[in-house]
Amino acid sequence: MTMLRSLFGPRLSRGRIDRLYAHAVAQARQPAFYTALGVADRIDARFELYTLHVLLLSLRLRDLDEEGGEMAQALFDTYVSALDDTLRELGVGDVAVGKKMRKLGEALYGRMQAYEAAVAAGEDAALSAALARNVLETDAAGAGDALARYALASRAALAAQTLRQIEAGPAWAEVK
């Protein structure tokens, strides 16, 4: 049935998914992450924030319905494609792109699993530790607390919004 629906059902608009991805990226680029929360302004730290925001948005979409689940998958696919494009823009050759994408993919899946479990359970301590290690590159106790509070507050803020509101521009938690 799913195959028939994918063949004959309504297709997700590329524009809708691209806009959702742009919303996640725009939020991850908020200066407060780099000034107030101490995230380093480097490509690897931006990757971490993009991953977190794509995950938060994907979780909300999956909570909606079957279309939301399809949108979440399309959002994730768009993110992976953007990573590939970025590597190529940085001058990574075709042969090396595959190897680098495999490493990025492993990192991406690892982050999403760690963050998703903690976000879904509302486990701020586990989320704080994972975000401190991955985003802030430290194991210092409490280093990721503010970022974890932000992520959990954003999860709650997104949960209170309809798909239409999210597509128009989601309201994220305040970065402080």
Side-chain angles (χ1 to χ4, degrees), residues 9-85:
R11 296 198 96 26
L12 293 175
S13 159
R14 180 84 256 144
R16 286 175 76 193
I17 302 305
D18 288 345
R19 281 188 299 279
L20 287 171
Y21 178 68
H23 292 314
V25 168
Q27 182 62 20
R29 289 181 175 167
Q30 291 297 312
F33 287 113
Y34 307 96
T35 56
L37 298 186
V39 175
D41 190 9
R42 297 189 320 259
I43 195 165
D44 56 332
R46 287 190 299 271
F47 163 78
E48 298 294 346
L49 286 178
Y50 293 171
T51 299
L52 176 63
H53 286 88
V54 167
L55 172 68
L56 290 170
L57 205 46
S58 293
L59 289 172
R60 175 58 183 130
L61 293 170
R62 280 193 269 157
D63 289 345
L64 292 168
D65 55 19
E66 187 175 336
E67 180 187 19
E70 291 171 10
M71 291 177 78
Q73 182 61 53
L75 176 62
F76 177 79
D77 295 345
T78 297
Y79 181 40
V80 170
S81 179
L83 290 174
D84 183 276
D85 291 346

Side-chain angles (χ1 to χ4, degrees), residues 37 124-125 128-129 131-133 136 138-149:
L37 298 186
D124 53 348
S128 174
L131 291 169
R133 183 177 53 256
L136 303 171
T138 182
D139 288 324
D145 287 356
L147 195 50
R149 281 191 303 275

